[in-house]
Amino acid sequence: MNTAAVHISGLTIAKSVIASIVSRACDEVEGVVQVGTNVLASSLISVFSQHTPSDETPVEVDVVNDKLHVGVHVSVFYGYPFVTLAQQIRAAIAQSLQSQLSCDIDAIDVYIDNLVFPKE
């Protein structure tokens, strides 16, 4: 089986296509800086410390019992309540996936991996 694609609702869809849909949905949520973390900042952290940046994929896609399971790693702005923000991200992703794929969704996990403070 091709691990770069998922088979759901009679379709085979590239994970990168689903990741694009998820990323686009997250871009519409106020308080989200970006999907994933800042590569430059992570690289600098690894240069100046023993901390190694995460090799996590910003959008994880899987099928569980013929339902889509999505995990999304985001960077967010300080000042937005995490629980509310995660609910808004889940709702935006669910709406986008439903409109594009018309498939059942098992879960949407939101991982807040980075907090960005605004410049004063």
Side-chain angles (χ1 to χ4, degrees), residues 38-89:
N38 186 325
V39 176
L40 177 60
S42 295
S43 296
L44 289 173
I45 289 169
S46 67
V47 168
F48 294 109
S49 73
Q50 293 181 353
H51 175 74
T52 305
S54 173
D55 289 335
E56 298 266 344
T57 304
V59 178
E60 302 161 0
V61 179
D62 206 358
V63 176
V64 177
N65 297 324
D66 204 36
K67 295 181 181 179
L68 199 58
H69 186 123
V70 175
V72 60
H73 295 261
V74 294
S75 297
V76 300
F77 284 116
Y78 175 79
Y80 291 83
F82 289 170
V83 172
T84 303
L85 194 54
Q87 290 169 341
Q88 292 171 343
I89 292 168

mmCIF file of all heavy atoms in Angstrom, residues 38-89:
data_model
loop_
_atom_site.group_PDB
_atom_site.id
_atom_site.type_symbol
_atom_site.label_atom_id
_atom_site.label_comp_id
_atom_site.label_asym_id
_atom_site.label_seq_id
_atom_site.Cartn_x
_atom_site.Cartn_y
_atom_site.Cartn_z
ATOM 1 N N ASN A 38 8.576 27.274 12.892
ATOM 2 C CA ASN A 38 9.505 28.053 12.088
ATOM 3 C C ASN A 38 10.812 27.274 11.922
ATOM 4 O O ASN A 38 11.521 27.032 12.885
ATOM 5 C CB ASN A 38 9.770 29.396 12.774
ATOM 6 C CG ASN A 38 10.614 30.308 11.928
ATOM 7 O OD1 ASN A 38 11.500 29.875 11.214
ATOM 8 N ND2 ASN A 38 10.330 31.586 12.013
ATOM 9 N N VAL A 39 11.115 26.893 10.713
ATOM 10 C CA VAL A 39 12.304 26.088 10.431
ATOM 11 C C VAL A 39 13.580 26.831 10.824
ATOM 12 O O VAL A 39 14.482 26.267 11.430
ATOM 13 C CB VAL A 39 12.348 25.684 8.943
ATOM 14 C CG1 VAL A 39 13.623 24.939 8.622
ATOM 15 C CG2 VAL A 39 11.135 24.853 8.589
ATOM 16 N N LEU A 40 13.661 28.111 10.523
ATOM 17 C CA LEU A 40 14.848 28.895 10.853
ATOM 18 C C LEU A 40 15.051 28.953 12.365
ATOM 19 O O LEU A 40 16.149 28.717 12.864
ATOM 20 C CB LEU A 40 14.747 30.312 10.282
ATOM 21 C CG LEU A 40 15.903 31.258 10.616
ATOM 22 C CD1 LEU A 40 17.216 30.685 10.086
ATOM 23 C CD2 LEU A 40 15.648 32.632 10.055
ATOM 24 N N ALA A 41 13.984 29.232 13.100
ATOM 25 C CA ALA A 41 14.097 29.303 14.564
ATOM 26 C C ALA A 41 14.501 27.949 15.129
ATOM 27 O O ALA A 41 15.343 27.860 16.020
ATOM 28 C CB ALA A 41 12.786 29.769 15.175
ATOM 29 N N SER A 42 13.925 26.873 14.625
ATOM 30 C CA SER A 42 14.274 25.538 15.107
ATOM 31 C C SER A 42 15.731 25.216 14.822
ATOM 32 O O SER A 42 16.415 24.611 15.637
ATOM 33 C CB SER A 42 13.381 24.480 14.442
ATOM 34 O OG SER A 42 12.043 24.654 14.819
ATOM 35 N N SER A 43 16.217 25.631 13.646
ATOM 36 C CA SER A 43 17.611 25.382 13.299
ATOM 37 C C SER A 43 18.546 26.151 14.219
ATOM 38 O O SER A 43 19.580 25.638 14.648
ATOM 39 C CB SER A 43 17.871 25.777 11.849
ATOM 40 O OG SER A 43 17.120 24.974 10.988
ATOM 41 N N LEU A 44 18.203 27.404 14.519
ATOM 42 C CA LEU A 44 19.028 28.204 15.420
ATOM 43 C C LEU A 44 19.052 27.615 16.824
ATOM 44 O O LEU A 44 20.089 27.596 17.479
ATOM 45 C CB LEU A 44 18.530 29.653 15.462
ATOM 46 C CG LEU A 44 18.788 30.476 14.209
ATOM 47 C CD1 LEU A 44 18.109 31.830 14.315
ATOM 48 C CD2 LEU A 44 20.271 30.624 13.953
ATOM 49 N N ILE A 45 17.910 27.113 17.273
ATOM 50 C CA ILE A 45 17.850 26.489 18.605
ATOM 51 C C ILE A 45 18.789 25.292 18.654
ATOM 52 O O ILE A 45 19.526 25.111 19.612
ATOM 53 C CB ILE A 45 16.404 26.073 18.949
ATOM 54 C CG1 ILE A 45 15.553 27.316 19.213
ATOM 55 C CG2 ILE A 45 16.377 25.149 20.161
ATOM 56 C CD1 ILE A 45 14.063 27.040 19.312
ATOM 57 N N SER A 46 18.791 24.491 17.602
ATOM 58 C CA SER A 46 19.645 23.302 17.605
ATOM 59 C C SER A 46 21.122 23.669 17.537
ATOM 60 O O SER A 46 21.966 22.948 18.038
ATOM 61 C CB SER A 46 19.274 22.360 16.450
ATOM 62 O OG SER A 46 19.577 22.942 15.214
ATOM 63 N N VAL A 47 21.476 24.800 16.929
ATOM 64 C CA VAL A 47 22.863 25.238 16.844
ATOM 65 C C VAL A 47 23.370 25.686 18.212
ATOM 66 O O VAL A 47 24.486 25.384 18.609
ATOM 67 C CB VAL A 47 23.021 26.382 15.809
ATOM 68 C CG1 VAL A 47 24.379 27.043 15.929
ATOM 69 C CG2 VAL A 47 22.817 25.851 14.403
ATOM 70 N N PHE A 48 22.522 26.411 18.955
ATOM 71 C CA PHE A 48 22.934 26.997 20.216
ATOM 72 C C PHE A 48 22.581 26.176 21.451
ATOM 73 O O PHE A 48 22.848 26.589 22.570
ATOM 74 C CB PHE A 48 22.350 28.408 20.363
ATOM 75 C CG PHE A 48 22.908 29.359 19.347
ATOM 76 C CD1 PHE A 48 22.127 29.819 18.301
ATOM 77 C CD2 PHE A 48 24.233 29.774 19.415
ATOM 78 C CE1 PHE A 48 22.650 30.695 17.360
ATOM 79 C CE2 PHE A 48 24.763 30.641 18.469
ATOM 80 C CZ PHE A 48 23.971 31.097 17.443
ATOM 81 N N SER A 49 21.998 25.023 21.263
ATOM 82 C CA SER A 49 21.660 24.167 22.407
ATOM 83 C C SER A 49 21.727 22.715 21.985
ATOM 84 O O SER A 49 21.986 22.398 20.839
ATOM 85 C CB SER A 49 20.261 24.500 22.931
ATOM 86 O OG SER A 49 19.279 24.021 22.037
ATOM 87 N N GLN A 50 21.492 21.842 22.930
ATOM 88 C CA GLN A 50 21.481 20.416 22.624
ATOM 89 C C GLN A 50 20.106 19.958 22.182
ATOM 90 O O GLN A 50 19.915 18.804 21.838
ATOM 91 C CB GLN A 50 21.934 19.615 23.842
ATOM 92 C CG GLN A 50 23.390 19.851 24.182
ATOM 93 C CD GLN A 50 23.835 19.031 25.361
ATOM 94 O OE1 GLN A 50 23.055 18.366 26.019
ATOM 95 N NE2 GLN A 50 25.123 19.067 25.643
ATOM 96 N N HIS A 51 19.148 20.868 22.174
ATOM 97 C CA HIS A 51 17.790 20.534 21.750
ATOM 98 C C HIS A 51 17.774 20.302 20.238
ATOM 99 O O HIS A 51 18.286 21.100 19.472
ATOM 100 C CB HIS A 51 16.828 21.667 22.122
ATOM 101 C CG HIS A 51 15.438 21.447 21.618
ATOM 102 N ND1 HIS A 51 14.581 20.542 22.181
ATOM 103 C CD2 HIS A 51 14.770 22.019 20.590
ATOM 104 C CE1 HIS A 51 13.440 20.564 21.526
ATOM 105 N NE2 HIS A 51 13.522 21.453 20.557
ATOM 106 N N THR A 52 17.183 19.209 19.829
ATOM 107 C CA THR A 52 17.062 18.904 18.412
ATOM 108 C C THR A 52 15.649 19.225 17.970
ATOM 109 O O THR A 52 14.690 18.800 18.615
ATOM 110 C CB THR A 52 17.341 17.407 18.145
ATOM 111 O OG1 THR A 52 18.619 17.102 18.682
ATOM 112 C CG2 THR A 52 17.311 17.095 16.670
ATOM 113 N N PRO A 53 15.468 19.973 16.887
ATOM 114 C CA PRO A 53 14.124 20.276 16.427
ATOM 115 C C PRO A 53 13.365 19.006 16.070
ATOM 116 O O PRO A 53 13.942 18.016 15.642
ATOM 117 C CB PRO A 53 14.341 21.141 15.189
ATOM 118 C CG PRO A 53 15.789 21.277 14.985
ATOM 119 C CD PRO A 53 16.504 20.534 16.051
ATOM 120 N N SER A 54 12.078 19.075 16.236
ATOM 121 C CA SER A 54 11.212 17.934 15.965
ATOM 122 C C SER A 54 11.193 17.622 14.471
ATOM 123 O O SER A 54 11.157 18.511 13.636
ATOM 124 C CB SER A 54 9.797 18.253 16.440
ATOM 125 O OG SER A 54 8.912 17.246 16.047
ATOM 126 N N ASP A 55 11.209 16.337 14.163
ATOM 127 C CA ASP A 55 11.095 15.903 12.774
ATOM 128 C C ASP A 55 9.635 15.618 12.417
ATOM 129 O O ASP A 55 9.349 15.012 11.399
ATOM 130 C CB ASP A 55 11.934 14.639 12.546
ATOM 131 C CG ASP A 55 13.425 14.936 12.569
ATOM 132 O OD1 ASP A 55 13.801 16.083 12.287
ATOM 133 O OD2 ASP A 55 14.203 14.013 12.879
ATOM 134 N N GLU A 56 8.734 16.039 13.281
ATOM 135 C CA GLU A 56 7.319 15.796 13.075
ATOM 136 C C GLU A 56 6.846 16.427 11.765
ATOM 137 O O GLU A 56 7.269 17.515 11.395
ATOM 138 C CB GLU A 56 6.506 16.393 14.224
ATOM 139 C CG GLU A 56 6.816 15.808 15.567
ATOM 140 C CD GLU A 56 5.894 14.681 15.951
ATOM 141 O OE1 GLU A 56 4.824 14.529 15.342
ATOM 142 O OE2 GLU A 56 6.263 13.942 16.856
ATOM 143 N N THR A 57 5.951 15.744 11.111
ATOM 144 C CA THR A 57 5.293 16.289 9.941
ATOM 145 C C THR A 57 4.219 17.249 10.444
ATOM 146 O O THR A 57 3.498 16.913 11.372
ATOM 147 C CB THR A 57 4.645 15.141 9.133
ATOM 148 O OG1 THR A 57 5.655 14.190 8.818
ATOM 149 C CG2 THR A 57 4.007 15.645 7.875
ATOM 150 N N PRO A 58 4.094 18.434 9.849
ATOM 151 C CA PRO A 58 3.111 19.400 10.354
ATOM 152 C C PRO A 58 1.664 18.905 10.305
ATOM 153 O O PRO A 58 0.862 19.265 11.128
ATOM 154 C CB PRO A 58 3.288 20.613 9.446
ATOM 155 C CG PRO A 58 4.607 20.441 8.797
ATOM 156 C CD PRO A 58 4.900 18.987 8.774
ATOM 157 N N VAL A 59 1.342 18.060 9.317
ATOM 158 C CA VAL A 59 -0.007 17.497 9.221
ATOM 159 C C VAL A 59 0.123 15.983 9.107
ATOM 160 O O VAL A 59 0.759 15.475 8.188
ATOM 161 C CB VAL A 59 -0.780 18.054 8.006
ATOM 162 C CG1 VAL A 59 -2.162 17.411 7.915
ATOM 163 C CG2 VAL A 59 -0.891 19.568 8.091
ATOM 164 N N GLU A 60 -0.465 15.290 10.071
ATOM 165 C CA GLU A 60 -0.454 13.828 10.075
ATOM 166 C C GLU A 60 -1.824 13.338 9.624
ATOM 167 O O GLU A 60 -2.846 13.842 10.087
ATOM 168 C CB GLU A 60 -0.156 13.318 11.483
ATOM 169 C CG GLU A 60 1.168 13.821 12.033
ATOM 170 C CD GLU A 60 1.267 13.712 13.550
ATOM 171 O OE1 GLU A 60 0.303 13.250 14.192
ATOM 172 O OE2 GLU A 60 2.301 14.121 14.081
ATOM 173 N N VAL A 61 -1.835 12.374 8.717
ATOM 174 C CA VAL A 61 -3.085 11.871 8.162
ATOM 175 C C VAL A 61 -3.103 10.360 8.274
ATOM 176 O O VAL A 61 -2.122 9.692 7.928
ATOM 177 C CB VAL A 61 -3.241 12.278 6.679
ATOM 178 C CG1 VAL A 61 -4.523 11.737 6.101
ATOM 179 C CG2 VAL A 61 -3.156 13.787 6.520
ATOM 180 N N ASP A 62 -4.221 9.818 8.750
ATOM 181 C CA ASP A 62 -4.381 8.374 8.870
ATOM 182 C C ASP A 62 -5.861 8.046 8.676
ATOM 183 O O ASP A 62 -6.719 8.925 8.759
ATOM 184 C CB ASP A 62 -3.906 7.911 10.250
ATOM 185 C CG ASP A 62 -3.457 6.469 10.268
ATOM 186 O OD1 ASP A 62 -3.535 5.789 9.222
ATOM 187 O OD2 ASP A 62 -3.033 6.010 11.327
ATOM 188 N N VAL A 63 -6.152 6.787 8.432
ATOM 189 C CA VAL A 63 -7.528 6.323 8.338
ATOM 190 C C VAL A 63 -7.754 5.309 9.441
ATOM 191 O O VAL A 63 -6.987 4.350 9.590
ATOM 192 C CB VAL A 63 -7.834 5.704 6.950
ATOM 193 C CG1 VAL A 63 -9.243 5.132 6.919
ATOM 194 C CG2 VAL A 63 -7.650 6.739 5.856
ATOM 195 N N VAL A 64 -8.798 5.539 10.243
ATOM 196 C CA VAL A 64 -9.155 4.652 11.349
ATOM 197 C C VAL A 64 -10.605 4.241 11.142
ATOM 198 O O VAL A 64 -11.502 5.093 11.136
ATOM 199 C CB VAL A 64 -8.981 5.365 12.713
ATOM 200 C CG1 VAL A 64 -9.426 4.470 13.842
ATOM 201 C CG2 VAL A 64 -7.544 5.831 12.902
ATOM 202 N N ASN A 65 -10.831 2.941 10.960
ATOM 203 C CA ASN A 65 -12.191 2.419 10.736
ATOM 204 C C ASN A 65 -12.918 3.167 9.621
ATOM 205 O O ASN A 65 -14.063 3.570 9.759
ATOM 206 C CB ASN A 65 -13.011 2.466 12.029
ATOM 207 C CG ASN A 65 -12.422 1.593 13.111
ATOM 208 O OD1 ASN A 65 -11.883 0.522 12.831
ATOM 209 N ND2 ASN A 65 -12.492 2.048 14.342
ATOM 210 N N ASP A 66 -12.221 3.383 8.503
ATOM 211 C CA ASP A 66 -12.730 4.069 7.325
ATOM 212 C C ASP A 66 -13.139 5.515 7.606
ATOM 213 O O ASP A 66 -14.001 6.075 6.938
ATOM 214 C CB ASP A 66 -13.880 3.307 6.678
ATOM 215 C CG ASP A 66 -14.025 3.657 5.194
ATOM 216 O OD1 ASP A 66 -12.983 3.867 4.533
ATOM 217 O OD2 ASP A 66 -15.159 3.752 4.712
ATOM 218 N N LYS A 67 -12.527 6.114 8.632
ATOM 219 C CA LYS A 67 -12.735 7.527 8.945
ATOM 220 C C LYS A 67 -11.381 8.218 8.988
ATOM 221 O O LYS A 67 -10.388 7.623 9.396
ATOM 222 C CB LYS A 67 -13.442 7.692 10.294
ATOM 223 C CG LYS A 67 -14.852 7.152 10.312
ATOM 224 C CD LYS A 67 -15.481 7.366 11.666
ATOM 225 C CE LYS A 67 -16.892 6.808 11.684
ATOM 226 N NZ LYS A 67 -17.508 6.979 13.008
ATOM 227 N N LEU A 68 -11.362 9.465 8.590
ATOM 228 C CA LEU A 68 -10.129 10.236 8.533
ATOM 229 C C LEU A 68 -9.723 10.716 9.923
ATOM 230 O O LEU A 68 -10.540 11.224 10.677
ATOM 231 C CB LEU A 68 -10.331 11.435 7.605
ATOM 232 C CG LEU A 68 -9.107 12.125 7.052
ATOM 233 C CD1 LEU A 68 -8.234 11.149 6.256
ATOM 234 C CD2 LEU A 68 -9.514 13.285 6.171
ATOM 235 N N HIS A 69 -8.460 10.507 10.255
ATOM 236 C CA HIS A 69 -7.891 10.985 11.524
ATOM 237 C C HIS A 69 -6.745 11.926 11.154
ATOM 238 O O HIS A 69 -5.799 11.527 10.488
ATOM 239 C CB HIS A 69 -7.376 9.813 12.354
ATOM 240 C CG HIS A 69 -6.924 10.218 13.719
ATOM 241 N ND1 HIS A 69 -7.453 9.666 14.852
ATOM 242 C CD2 HIS A 69 -6.021 11.125 14.142
ATOM 243 C CE1 HIS A 69 -6.881 10.214 15.915
ATOM 244 N NE2 HIS A 69 -6.002 11.103 15.485
ATOM 245 N N VAL A 70 -6.858 13.181 11.598
ATOM 246 C CA VAL A 70 -5.886 14.206 11.239
ATOM 247 C C VAL A 70 -5.251 14.774 12.499
ATOM 248 O O VAL A 70 -5.936 15.003 13.503
ATOM 249 C CB VAL A 70 -6.571 15.355 10.449
ATOM 250 C CG1 VAL A 70 -5.605 16.491 10.178
ATOM 251 C CG2 VAL A 70 -7.162 14.837 9.156
ATOM 252 N N GLY A 71 -3.958 14.988 12.448
ATOM 253 C CA GLY A 71 -3.247 15.705 13.497
ATOM 254 C C GLY A 71 -2.560 16.889 12.851
ATOM 255 O O GLY A 71 -1.964 16.754 11.779
ATOM 256 N N VAL A 72 -2.679 18.058 13.466
ATOM 257 C CA VAL A 72 -2.060 19.252 12.886
ATOM 258 C C VAL A 72 -1.236 19.957 13.962
ATOM 259 O O VAL A 72 -1.689 20.167 15.073
ATOM 260 C CB VAL A 72 -3.112 20.201 12.255
ATOM 261 C CG1 VAL A 72 -4.115 20.685 13.282
ATOM 262 C CG2 VAL A 72 -2.453 21.366 11.542
ATOM 263 N N HIS A 73 0.000 20.273 13.606
ATOM 264 C CA HIS A 73 0.924 20.979 14.493
ATOM 265 C C HIS A 73 0.937 22.439 14.068
ATOM 266 O O HIS A 73 1.176 22.740 12.892
ATOM 267 C CB HIS A 73 2.332 20.378 14.384
ATOM 268 C CG HIS A 73 2.386 18.969 14.862
ATOM 269 N ND1 HIS A 73 2.827 18.633 16.110
ATOM 270 C CD2 HIS A 73 2.031 17.797 14.260
ATOM 271 C CE1 HIS A 73 2.772 17.322 16.267
ATOM 272 N NE2 HIS A 73 2.285 16.795 15.151
ATOM 273 N N VAL A 74 0.675 23.335 15.020
ATOM 274 C CA VAL A 74 0.579 24.751 14.682
ATOM 275 C C VAL A 74 1.429 25.620 15.599
ATOM 276 O O VAL A 74 1.744 25.243 16.728
ATOM 277 C CB VAL A 74 -0.885 25.256 14.732
ATOM 278 C CG1 VAL A 74 -1.740 24.600 13.666
ATOM 279 C CG2 VAL A 74 -1.486 25.039 16.107
ATOM 280 N N SER A 75 1.774 26.774 15.078
ATOM 281 C CA SER A 75 2.370 27.855 15.851
ATOM 282 C C SER A 75 1.271 28.900 16.008
ATOM 283 O O SER A 75 0.564 29.205 15.044
ATOM 284 C CB SER A 75 3.555 28.470 15.110
ATOM 285 O OG SER A 75 4.571 27.514 14.932
ATOM 286 N N VAL A 76 1.113 29.437 17.224
ATOM 287 C CA VAL A 76 0.028 30.382 17.476
ATOM 288 C C VAL A 76 0.551 31.648 18.146
ATOM 289 O O VAL A 76 1.625 31.645 18.751
ATOM 290 C CB VAL A 76 -1.075 29.753 18.359
ATOM 291 C CG1 VAL A 76 -1.668 28.518 17.686
ATOM 292 C CG2 VAL A 76 -0.557 29.408 19.742
ATOM 293 N N PHE A 77 -0.231 32.711 18.030
ATOM 294 C CA PHE A 77 0.100 33.967 18.687
ATOM 295 C C PHE A 77 -0.301 33.904 20.156
ATOM 296 O O PHE A 77 -1.338 33.326 20.502
ATOM 297 C CB PHE A 77 -0.629 35.146 18.037
ATOM 298 C CG PHE A 77 -0.040 35.584 16.730
ATOM 299 C CD1 PHE A 77 -0.772 35.487 15.565
ATOM 300 C CD2 PHE A 77 1.245 36.113 16.675
ATOM 301 C CE1 PHE A 77 -0.239 35.903 14.359
ATOM 302 C CE2 PHE A 77 1.784 36.534 15.471
ATOM 303 C CZ PHE A 77 1.043 36.426 14.313
ATOM 304 N N TYR A 78 0.490 34.540 20.989
ATOM 305 C CA TYR A 78 0.175 34.712 22.398
ATOM 306 C C TYR A 78 -1.092 35.571 22.516
ATOM 307 O O TYR A 78 -1.308 36.491 21.745
ATOM 308 C CB TYR A 78 1.340 35.410 23.110
ATOM 309 C CG TYR A 78 1.052 35.732 24.550
ATOM 310 C CD1 TYR A 78 1.146 34.752 25.523
ATOM 311 C CD2 TYR A 78 0.675 37.012 24.918
ATOM 312 C CE1 TYR A 78 0.879 35.046 26.853
ATOM 313 C CE2 TYR A 78 0.416 37.316 26.243
ATOM 314 C CZ TYR A 78 0.510 36.329 27.205
ATOM 315 O OH TYR A 78 0.232 36.619 28.512
ATOM 316 N N GLY A 79 -1.930 35.231 23.490
ATOM 317 C CA GLY A 79 -3.120 36.030 23.754
ATOM 318 C C GLY A 79 -4.410 35.388 23.287
ATOM 319 O O GLY A 79 -5.489 35.893 23.570
ATOM 320 N N TYR A 80 -4.320 34.279 22.580
ATOM 321 C CA TYR A 80 -5.511 33.563 22.138
ATOM 322 C C TYR A 80 -5.667 32.329 23.024
ATOM 323 O O TYR A 80 -4.750 31.500 23.090
ATOM 324 C CB TYR A 80 -5.392 33.141 20.665
ATOM 325 C CG TYR A 80 -5.445 34.306 19.721
ATOM 326 C CD1 TYR A 80 -4.308 35.054 19.443
ATOM 327 C CD2 TYR A 80 -6.639 34.664 19.117
ATOM 328 C CE1 TYR A 80 -4.359 36.144 18.575
ATOM 329 C CE2 TYR A 80 -6.699 35.749 18.240
ATOM 330 C CZ TYR A 80 -5.552 36.478 17.980
ATOM 331 O OH TYR A 80 -5.610 37.538 17.123
ATOM 332 N N PRO A 81 -6.791 32.192 23.726
ATOM 333 C CA PRO A 81 -6.982 31.037 24.608
ATOM 334 C C PRO A 81 -6.848 29.723 23.823
ATOM 335 O O PRO A 81 -7.502 29.540 22.795
ATOM 336 C CB PRO A 81 -8.397 31.220 25.154
ATOM 337 C CG PRO A 81 -8.693 32.678 24.973
ATOM 338 C CD PRO A 81 -7.930 33.098 23.746
ATOM 339 N N PHE A 82 -6.002 28.839 24.313
ATOM 340 C CA PHE A 82 -5.686 27.608 23.578
ATOM 341 C C PHE A 82 -6.906 26.734 23.301
ATOM 342 O O PHE A 82 -7.047 26.203 22.201
ATOM 343 C CB PHE A 82 -4.637 26.786 24.324
ATOM 344 C CG PHE A 82 -3.253 27.389 24.309
ATOM 345 C CD1 PHE A 82 -2.264 26.856 25.104
ATOM 346 C CD2 PHE A 82 -2.931 28.468 23.514
ATOM 347 C CE1 PHE A 82 -0.984 27.386 25.107
ATOM 348 C CE2 PHE A 82 -1.660 29.016 23.498
ATOM 349 C CZ PHE A 82 -0.680 28.463 24.303
ATOM 350 N N VAL A 83 -7.769 26.560 24.286
ATOM 351 C CA VAL A 83 -8.928 25.679 24.095
ATOM 352 C C VAL A 83 -9.843 26.237 23.003
ATOM 353 O O VAL A 83 -10.270 25.504 22.106
ATOM 354 C CB VAL A 83 -9.698 25.485 25.429
ATOM 355 C CG1 VAL A 83 -10.995 24.729 25.193
ATOM 356 C CG2 VAL A 83 -8.826 24.751 26.436
ATOM 357 N N THR A 84 -10.111 27.520 23.061
ATOM 358 C CA THR A 84 -10.964 28.162 22.051
ATOM 359 C C THR A 84 -10.311 28.090 20.680
ATOM 360 O O THR A 84 -10.964 27.774 19.676
ATOM 361 C CB THR A 84 -11.226 29.637 22.426
ATOM 362 O OG1 THR A 84 -11.819 29.679 23.725
ATOM 363 C CG2 THR A 84 -12.135 30.308 21.420
ATOM 364 N N LEU A 85 -9.027 28.356 20.630
ATOM 365 C CA LEU A 85 -8.292 28.317 19.374
ATOM 366 C C LEU A 85 -8.319 26.909 18.768
ATOM 367 O O LEU A 85 -8.569 26.742 17.572
ATOM 368 C CB LEU A 85 -6.854 28.789 19.598
ATOM 369 C CG LEU A 85 -6.016 29.127 18.381
ATOM 370 C CD1 LEU A 85 -6.704 30.145 17.486
ATOM 371 C CD2 LEU A 85 -4.658 29.651 18.819
ATOM 372 N N ALA A 86 -8.091 25.907 19.592
ATOM 373 C CA ALA A 86 -8.123 24.520 19.105
ATOM 374 C C ALA A 86 -9.514 24.160 18.572
ATOM 375 O O ALA A 86 -9.629 23.491 17.537
ATOM 376 C CB ALA A 86 -7.712 23.562 20.212
ATOM 377 N N GLN A 87 -10.568 24.620 19.242
ATOM 378 C CA GLN A 87 -11.930 24.363 18.765
ATOM 379 C C GLN A 87 -12.162 25.022 17.405
ATOM 380 O O GLN A 87 -12.767 24.419 16.509
ATOM 381 C CB GLN A 87 -12.957 24.880 19.773
ATOM 382 C CG GLN A 87 -13.010 24.071 21.047
ATOM 383 C CD GLN A 87 -13.839 24.748 22.141
ATOM 384 O OE1 GLN A 87 -14.095 25.951 22.102
ATOM 385 N NE2 GLN A 87 -14.251 23.959 23.126
ATOM 386 N N GLN A 88 -11.676 26.246 17.246
ATOM 387 C CA GLN A 88 -11.835 26.950 15.973
ATOM 388 C C GLN A 88 -11.042 26.274 14.860
ATOM 389 O O GLN A 88 -11.512 26.178 13.717
ATOM 390 C CB GLN A 88 -11.405 28.414 16.120
ATOM 391 C CG GLN A 88 -12.319 29.214 17.009
ATOM 392 C CD GLN A 88 -11.782 30.599 17.330
ATOM 393 O OE1 GLN A 88 -10.594 30.881 17.158
ATOM 394 N NE2 GLN A 88 -12.653 31.473 17.809
ATOM 395 N N ILE A 89 -9.852 25.792 15.197
ATOM 396 C CA ILE A 89 -9.030 25.074 14.207
ATOM 397 C C ILE A 89 -9.735 23.793 13.789
ATOM 398 O O ILE A 89 -9.839 23.492 12.593
ATOM 399 C CB ILE A 89 -7.625 24.785 14.774
ATOM 400 C CG1 ILE A 89 -6.840 26.093 14.939
ATOM 401 C CG2 ILE A 89 -6.869 23.791 13.891
ATOM 402 C CD1 ILE A 89 -5.562 25.953 15.754
#
